[in-house]
PDB file of all heavy atoms in Angstrom:
ATOM      1  N   ILE A 333       2.304  -5.876  -4.916  1.00  0.00           N
ATOM      2  CA  ILE A 333       2.061  -5.513  -3.523  1.00  0.00           C
ATOM      3  C   ILE A 333       0.951  -6.388  -2.950  1.00  0.00           C
ATOM      4  O   ILE A 333       1.028  -6.835  -1.795  1.00  0.00           O
ATOM      5  CB  ILE A 333       1.693  -4.024  -3.407  1.00  0.00           C
ATOM      6  CG1 ILE A 333       2.875  -3.156  -3.843  1.00  0.00           C
ATOM      7  CG2 ILE A 333       1.283  -3.669  -1.978  1.00  0.00           C
ATOM      8  CD1 ILE A 333       2.555  -1.687  -3.948  1.00  0.00           C
ATOM      9  N   GLU A 334      -0.070  -6.678  -3.755  1.00  0.00           N
ATOM     10  CA  GLU A 334      -1.160  -7.536  -3.306  1.00  0.00           C
ATOM     11  C   GLU A 334      -0.627  -8.892  -2.860  1.00  0.00           C
ATOM     12  O   GLU A 334      -0.991  -9.413  -1.797  1.00  0.00           O
ATOM     13  CB  GLU A 334      -2.165  -7.723  -4.447  1.00  0.00           C
ATOM     14  CG  GLU A 334      -3.279  -8.703  -4.103  1.00  0.00           C
ATOM     15  CD  GLU A 334      -4.141  -9.050  -5.299  1.00  0.00           C
ATOM     16  OE1 GLU A 334      -3.908  -8.494  -6.389  1.00  0.00           O
ATOM     17  OE2 GLU A 334      -5.047  -9.877  -5.137  1.00  0.00           O
ATOM     18  N   GLU A 335       0.244  -9.483  -3.657  1.00  0.00           N
ATOM     19  CA  GLU A 335       0.789 -10.796  -3.315  1.00  0.00           C
ATOM     20  C   GLU A 335       1.650 -10.715  -2.061  1.00  0.00           C
ATOM     21  O   GLU A 335       1.593 -11.592  -1.192  1.00  0.00           O
ATOM     22  CB  GLU A 335       1.596 -11.331  -4.496  1.00  0.00           C
ATOM     23  CG  GLU A 335       0.748 -11.613  -5.726  1.00  0.00           C
ATOM     24  CD  GLU A 335       1.577 -11.895  -6.966  1.00  0.00           C
ATOM     25  OE1 GLU A 335       2.468 -11.080  -7.289  1.00  0.00           O
ATOM     26  OE2 GLU A 335       1.333 -12.929  -7.617  1.00  0.00           O
ATOM     27  N   LEU A 336       2.459  -9.662  -1.944  1.00  0.00           N
ATOM     28  CA  LEU A 336       3.344  -9.513  -0.790  1.00  0.00           C
ATOM     29  C   LEU A 336       2.551  -9.386   0.510  1.00  0.00           C
ATOM     30  O   LEU A 336       2.904  -9.990   1.528  1.00  0.00           O
ATOM     31  CB  LEU A 336       4.238  -8.289  -0.971  1.00  0.00           C
ATOM     32  CG  LEU A 336       5.229  -8.338  -2.147  1.00  0.00           C
ATOM     33  CD1 LEU A 336       5.915  -6.994  -2.304  1.00  0.00           C
ATOM     34  CD2 LEU A 336       6.248  -9.447  -1.953  1.00  0.00           C
ATOM     35  N   LEU A 337       1.472  -8.617   0.482  1.00  0.00           N
ATOM     36  CA  LEU A 337       0.696  -8.404   1.706  1.00  0.00           C
ATOM     37  C   LEU A 337      -0.217  -9.584   2.002  1.00  0.00           C
ATOM     38  O   LEU A 337      -0.469  -9.906   3.168  1.00  0.00           O
ATOM     39  CB  LEU A 337      -0.100  -7.106   1.604  1.00  0.00           C
ATOM     40  CG  LEU A 337       0.757  -5.833   1.606  1.00  0.00           C
ATOM     41  CD1 LEU A 337      -0.114  -4.596   1.497  1.00  0.00           C
ATOM     42  CD2 LEU A 337       1.617  -5.744   2.859  1.00  0.00           C
ATOM     43  N   ASN A 338      -0.725 -10.250   0.969  1.00  0.00           N
ATOM     44  CA  ASN A 338      -1.529 -11.442   1.209  1.00  0.00           C
ATOM     45  C   ASN A 338      -0.693 -12.531   1.872  1.00  0.00           C
ATOM     46  O   ASN A 338      -1.180 -13.283   2.717  1.00  0.00           O
ATOM     47  CB  ASN A 338      -2.122 -11.966  -0.110  1.00  0.00           C
ATOM     48  CG  ASN A 338      -3.290 -11.120  -0.589  1.00  0.00           C
ATOM     49  OD1 ASN A 338      -3.809 -10.289   0.163  1.00  0.00           O
ATOM     50  ND2 ASN A 338      -3.706 -11.308  -1.816  1.00  0.00           N
ATOM     51  N   LEU A 339       0.579 -12.616   1.493  1.00  0.00           N
ATOM     52  CA  LEU A 339       1.473 -13.580   2.124  1.00  0.00           C
ATOM     53  C   LEU A 339       1.709 -13.233   3.596  1.00  0.00           C
ATOM     54  O   LEU A 339       2.111 -14.091   4.387  1.00  0.00           O
ATOM     55  CB  LEU A 339       2.814 -13.635   1.383  1.00  0.00           C
ATOM     56  CG  LEU A 339       2.782 -14.298  -0.003  1.00  0.00           C
ATOM     57  CD1 LEU A 339       4.100 -14.071  -0.734  1.00  0.00           C
ATOM     58  CD2 LEU A 339       2.481 -15.789   0.115  1.00  0.00           C
ATOM     59  N   ARG A 340       1.461 -11.988   3.962  1.00  0.00           N
ATOM     60  CA  ARG A 340       1.585 -11.559   5.363  1.00  0.00           C
ATOM     61  C   ARG A 340       0.243 -11.629   6.083  1.00  0.00           C
ATOM     62  O   ARG A 340       0.074 -11.048   7.155  1.00  0.00           O
ATOM     63  CB  ARG A 340       2.133 -10.136   5.429  1.00  0.00           C
ATOM     64  CG  ARG A 340       3.584 -10.039   4.972  1.00  0.00           C
ATOM     65  CD  ARG A 340       4.046  -8.589   4.959  1.00  0.00           C
ATOM     66  NE  ARG A 340       5.457  -8.519   4.645  1.00  0.00           N
ATOM     67  CZ  ARG A 340       6.436  -8.625   5.549  1.00  0.00           C
ATOM     68  NH1 ARG A 340       6.135  -8.808   6.813  1.00  0.00           N
ATOM     69  NH2 ARG A 340       7.699  -8.556   5.188  1.00  0.00           N
ATOM     70  N   LYS A 341      -0.714 -12.320   5.479  1.00  0.00           N
ATOM     71  CA  LYS A 341      -2.023 -12.605   6.093  1.00  0.00           C
ATOM     72  C   LYS A 341      -2.951 -11.397   6.166  1.00  0.00           C
ATOM     73  O   LYS A 341      -3.896 -11.372   6.963  1.00  0.00           O
ATOM     74  CB  LYS A 341      -1.858 -13.204   7.506  1.00  0.00           C
ATOM     75  CG  LYS A 341      -0.927 -14.402   7.578  1.00  0.00           C
ATOM     76  CD  LYS A 341      -1.360 -15.521   6.642  1.00  0.00           C
ATOM     77  CE  LYS A 341      -0.444 -16.740   6.764  1.00  0.00           C
ATOM     78  NZ  LYS A 341      -0.783 -17.808   5.792  1.00  0.00           N
ATOM     79  N   TYR A 342      -2.688 -10.361   5.363  1.00  0.00           N
ATOM     80  CA  TYR A 342      -3.639  -9.258   5.279  1.00  0.00           C
ATOM     81  C   TYR A 342      -4.889  -9.706   4.517  1.00  0.00           C
ATOM     82  O   TYR A 342      -4.811 -10.551   3.620  1.00  0.00           O
ATOM     83  CB  TYR A 342      -3.020  -8.073   4.532  1.00  0.00           C
ATOM     84  CG  TYR A 342      -2.240  -7.108   5.393  1.00  0.00           C
ATOM     85  CD1 TYR A 342      -0.930  -7.374   5.766  1.00  0.00           C
ATOM     86  CD2 TYR A 342      -2.814  -5.913   5.836  1.00  0.00           C
ATOM     87  CE1 TYR A 342      -0.202  -6.494   6.548  1.00  0.00           C
ATOM     88  CE2 TYR A 342      -2.096  -5.024   6.611  1.00  0.00           C
ATOM     89  CZ  TYR A 342      -0.795  -5.316   6.968  1.00  0.00           C
ATOM     90  OH  TYR A 342      -0.093  -4.432   7.741  1.00  0.00           O
ATOM     91  N   ASN A 343      -6.035  -9.131   4.886  1.00  0.00           N
ATOM     92  CA  ASN A 343      -7.247  -9.283   4.094  1.00  0.00           C
ATOM     93  C   ASN A 343      -7.200  -8.244   2.984  1.00  0.00           C
ATOM     94  O   ASN A 343      -6.976  -7.055   3.247  1.00  0.00           O
ATOM     95  CB  ASN A 343      -8.499  -9.062   4.958  1.00  0.00           C
ATOM     96  CG  ASN A 343      -8.682 -10.153   5.974  1.00  0.00           C
ATOM     97  OD1 ASN A 343      -9.270 -11.180   5.694  1.00  0.00           O
ATOM     98  ND2 ASN A 343      -8.158  -9.935   7.191  1.00  0.00           N
ATOM     99  N   SER A 344      -7.427  -8.667   1.752  1.00  0.00           N
ATOM    100  CA  SER A 344      -7.259  -7.792   0.593  1.00  0.00           C
ATOM    101  C   SER A 344      -8.601  -7.540  -0.075  1.00  0.00           C
ATOM    102  O   SER A 344      -9.400  -8.457  -0.250  1.00  0.00           O
ATOM    103  CB  SER A 344      -6.293  -8.451  -0.398  1.00  0.00           C
ATOM    104  OG  SER A 344      -6.229  -7.734  -1.604  1.00  0.00           O
ATOM    105  N   PHE A 345      -8.838  -6.278  -0.443  1.00  0.00           N
ATOM    106  CA  PHE A 345     -10.101  -5.899  -1.066  1.00  0.00           C
ATOM    107  C   PHE A 345      -9.838  -5.053  -2.314  1.00  0.00           C
ATOM    108  O   PHE A 345      -9.106  -4.063  -2.239  1.00  0.00           O
ATOM    109  CB  PHE A 345     -10.967  -5.083  -0.100  1.00  0.00           C
ATOM    110  CG  PHE A 345     -11.138  -5.720   1.249  1.00  0.00           C
ATOM    111  CD1 PHE A 345     -10.267  -5.425   2.275  1.00  0.00           C
ATOM    112  CD2 PHE A 345     -12.152  -6.632   1.470  1.00  0.00           C
ATOM    113  CE1 PHE A 345     -10.399  -6.015   3.511  1.00  0.00           C
ATOM    114  CE2 PHE A 345     -12.303  -7.228   2.704  1.00  0.00           C
ATOM    115  CZ  PHE A 345     -11.423  -6.921   3.729  1.00  0.00           C
ATOM    116  N   GLN A 346     -10.421  -5.452  -3.420  1.00  0.00           N
ATOM    117  CA  GLN A 346     -10.384  -4.612  -4.612  1.00  0.00           C
ATOM    118  C   GLN A 346     -11.378  -3.483  -4.396  1.00  0.00           C
ATOM    119  O   GLN A 346     -12.526  -3.720  -4.036  1.00  0.00           O
ATOM    120  CB  GLN A 346     -10.792  -5.420  -5.852  1.00  0.00           C
ATOM    121  CG  GLN A 346     -10.702  -4.655  -7.159  1.00  0.00           C
ATOM    122  CD  GLN A 346      -9.307  -4.661  -7.745  1.00  0.00           C
ATOM    123  OE1 GLN A 346      -8.631  -5.655  -7.693  1.00  0.00           O
ATOM    124  NE2 GLN A 346      -8.903  -3.539  -8.308  1.00  0.00           N
ATOM    125  N   TYR A 347     -10.937  -2.244  -4.543  1.00  0.00           N
ATOM    126  CA  TYR A 347     -11.902  -1.163  -4.366  1.00  0.00           C
ATOM    127  C   TYR A 347     -12.308  -0.578  -5.708  1.00  0.00           C
ATOM    128  O   TYR A 347     -11.651  -0.762  -6.724  1.00  0.00           O
ATOM    129  CB  TYR A 347     -11.384  -0.075  -3.421  1.00  0.00           C
ATOM    130  CG  TYR A 347     -10.111   0.642  -3.811  1.00  0.00           C
ATOM    131  CD1 TYR A 347     -10.075   1.518  -4.880  1.00  0.00           C
ATOM    132  CD2 TYR A 347      -8.949   0.493  -3.041  1.00  0.00           C
ATOM    133  CE1 TYR A 347      -8.921   2.216  -5.207  1.00  0.00           C
ATOM    134  CE2 TYR A 347      -7.787   1.180  -3.353  1.00  0.00           C
ATOM    135  CZ  TYR A 347      -7.774   2.041  -4.439  1.00  0.00           C
ATOM    136  OH  TYR A 347      -6.632   2.729  -4.758  1.00  0.00           O
ATOM    137  N   GLU A 348     -13.424   0.109  -5.683  1.00  0.00           N
ATOM    138  CA  GLU A 348     -13.963   0.738  -6.889  1.00  0.00           C
ATOM    139  C   GLU A 348     -13.578   2.216  -6.883  1.00  0.00           C
ATOM    140  O   GLU A 348     -13.741   2.907  -5.879  1.00  0.00           O
ATOM    141  CB  GLU A 348     -15.482   0.591  -6.922  1.00  0.00           C
ATOM    142  CG  GLU A 348     -16.137   1.214  -8.136  1.00  0.00           C
ATOM    143  CD  GLU A 348     -17.648   1.152  -8.097  1.00  0.00           C
ATOM    144  OE1 GLU A 348     -18.196   0.548  -7.146  1.00  0.00           O
ATOM    145  OE2 GLU A 348     -18.279   1.728  -9.002  1.00  0.00           O
ATOM    146  N   ARG A 349     -13.087   2.680  -8.016  1.00  0.00           N
ATOM    147  CA  ARG A 349     -12.749   4.099  -8.160  1.00  0.00           C
ATOM    148  C   ARG A 349     -13.889   4.805  -8.876  1.00  0.00           C
ATOM    149  O   ARG A 349     -14.240   4.465 -10.000  1.00  0.00           O
ATOM    150  CB  ARG A 349     -11.458   4.244  -8.962  1.00  0.00           C
ATOM    151  CG  ARG A 349     -10.227   3.746  -8.247  1.00  0.00           C
ATOM    152  CD  ARG A 349      -9.615   4.782  -7.326  1.00  0.00           C
ATOM    153  NE  ARG A 349      -8.999   5.847  -8.084  1.00  0.00           N
ATOM    154  CZ  ARG A 349      -7.755   5.781  -8.555  1.00  0.00           C
ATOM    155  NH1 ARG A 349      -7.029   4.717  -8.348  1.00  0.00           N
ATOM    156  NH2 ARG A 349      -7.256   6.780  -9.226  1.00  0.00           N
ATOM    157  N   ARG A 350     -14.458   5.795  -8.231  1.00  0.00           N
ATOM    158  CA  ARG A 350     -15.468   6.650  -8.872  1.00  0.00           C
ATOM    159  C   ARG A 350     -14.874   8.047  -8.874  1.00  0.00           C
ATOM    160  O   ARG A 350     -14.814   8.704  -7.838  1.00  0.00           O
ATOM    161  CB  ARG A 350     -16.791   6.628  -8.111  1.00  0.00           C
ATOM    162  CG  ARG A 350     -17.406   5.239  -7.955  1.00  0.00           C
ATOM    163  CD  ARG A 350     -18.678   5.305  -7.134  1.00  0.00           C
ATOM    164  NE  ARG A 350     -19.106   3.996  -6.684  1.00  0.00           N
ATOM    165  CZ  ARG A 350     -20.048   3.799  -5.766  1.00  0.00           C
ATOM    166  NH1 ARG A 350     -20.637   4.850  -5.189  1.00  0.00           N
ATOM    167  NH2 ARG A 350     -20.371   2.574  -5.397  1.00  0.00           N
ATOM    168  N   GLY A 351     -14.452   8.480 -10.063  1.00  0.00           N
ATOM    169  CA  GLY A 351     -13.645   9.680 -10.114  1.00  0.00           C
ATOM    170  C   GLY A 351     -12.350   9.363  -9.384  1.00  0.00           C
ATOM    171  O   GLY A 351     -11.658   8.401  -9.713  1.00  0.00           O
ATOM    172  N   ASN A 352     -12.040  10.105  -8.336  1.00  0.00           N
ATOM    173  CA  ASN A 352     -10.867   9.804  -7.532  1.00  0.00           C
ATOM    174  C   ASN A 352     -11.225   9.239  -6.164  1.00  0.00           C
ATOM    175  O   ASN A 352     -10.351   9.025  -5.331  1.00  0.00           O
ATOM    176  CB  ASN A 352     -10.011  11.065  -7.350  1.00  0.00           C
ATOM    177  CG  ASN A 352      -9.241  11.421  -8.606  1.00  0.00           C
ATOM    178  OD1 ASN A 352      -8.720  10.546  -9.292  1.00  0.00           O
ATOM    179  ND2 ASN A 352      -9.188  12.706  -8.914  1.00  0.00           N
ATOM    180  N   HIS A 353     -12.507   8.985  -5.930  1.00  0.00           N
ATOM    181  CA  HIS A 353     -12.926   8.476  -4.632  1.00  0.00           C
ATOM    182  C   HIS A 353     -12.837   6.953  -4.596  1.00  0.00           C
ATOM    183  O   HIS A 353     -12.980   6.280  -5.612  1.00  0.00           O
ATOM    184  CB  HIS A 353     -14.361   8.917  -4.317  1.00  0.00           C
ATOM    185  CG  HIS A 353     -14.495  10.391  -4.099  1.00  0.00           C
ATOM    186  ND1 HIS A 353     -15.199  11.214  -4.956  1.00  0.00           N
ATOM    187  CD2 HIS A 353     -13.999  11.203  -3.139  1.00  0.00           C
ATOM    188  CE1 HIS A 353     -15.143  12.469  -4.527  1.00  0.00           C
ATOM    189  NE2 HIS A 353     -14.410  12.482  -3.425  1.00  0.00           N
ATOM    190  N   ILE A 354     -12.611   6.419  -3.391  1.00  0.00           N
ATOM    191  CA  ILE A 354     -12.413   4.991  -3.179  1.00  0.00           C
ATOM    192  C   ILE A 354     -13.619   4.418  -2.440  1.00  0.00           C
ATOM    193  O   ILE A 354     -14.000   4.919  -1.379  1.00  0.00           O
ATOM    194  CB  ILE A 354     -11.141   4.730  -2.339  1.00  0.00           C
ATOM    195  CG1 ILE A 354      -9.905   5.224  -3.087  1.00  0.00           C
ATOM    196  CG2 ILE A 354     -11.010   3.268  -1.975  1.00  0.00           C
ATOM    197  CD1 ILE A 354      -8.636   5.138  -2.254  1.00  0.00           C
ATOM    198  N   PHE A 355     -14.197   3.339  -2.988  1.00  0.00           N
ATOM    199  CA  PHE A 355     -15.355   2.699  -2.366  1.00  0.00           C
ATOM    200  C   PHE A 355     -15.109   1.200  -2.212  1.00  0.00           C
ATOM    201  O   PHE A 355     -14.589   0.551  -3.120  1.00  0.00           O
ATOM    202  CB  PHE A 355     -16.618   2.933  -3.204  1.00  0.00           C
ATOM    203  CG  PHE A 355     -17.028   4.374  -3.282  1.00  0.00           C
ATOM    204  CD1 PHE A 355     -16.558   5.179  -4.314  1.00  0.00           C
ATOM    205  CD2 PHE A 355     -17.869   4.937  -2.340  1.00  0.00           C
ATOM    206  CE1 PHE A 355     -16.920   6.520  -4.402  1.00  0.00           C
ATOM    207  CE2 PHE A 355     -18.235   6.275  -2.407  1.00  0.00           C
ATOM    208  CZ  PHE A 355     -17.760   7.072  -3.441  1.00  0.00           C
TER     209      PHE A 355
END
Side-chain angles (χ1 to χ4, degrees):
I333 296 172
E334 175 189 357
E335 295 169 308
L336 296 173
L337 292 180
N338 284 347
L339 289 170
R340 292 176 175 274
K341 308 303 182 184
Y342 272 81
N343 292 274
S344 172
F345 309 92
Q346 184 84 39
Y347 60 70
E348 180 184 356
R349 292 275 289 275
R350 302 177 194 168
N352 285 320
H353 292 113
I354 297 174
F355 295 91

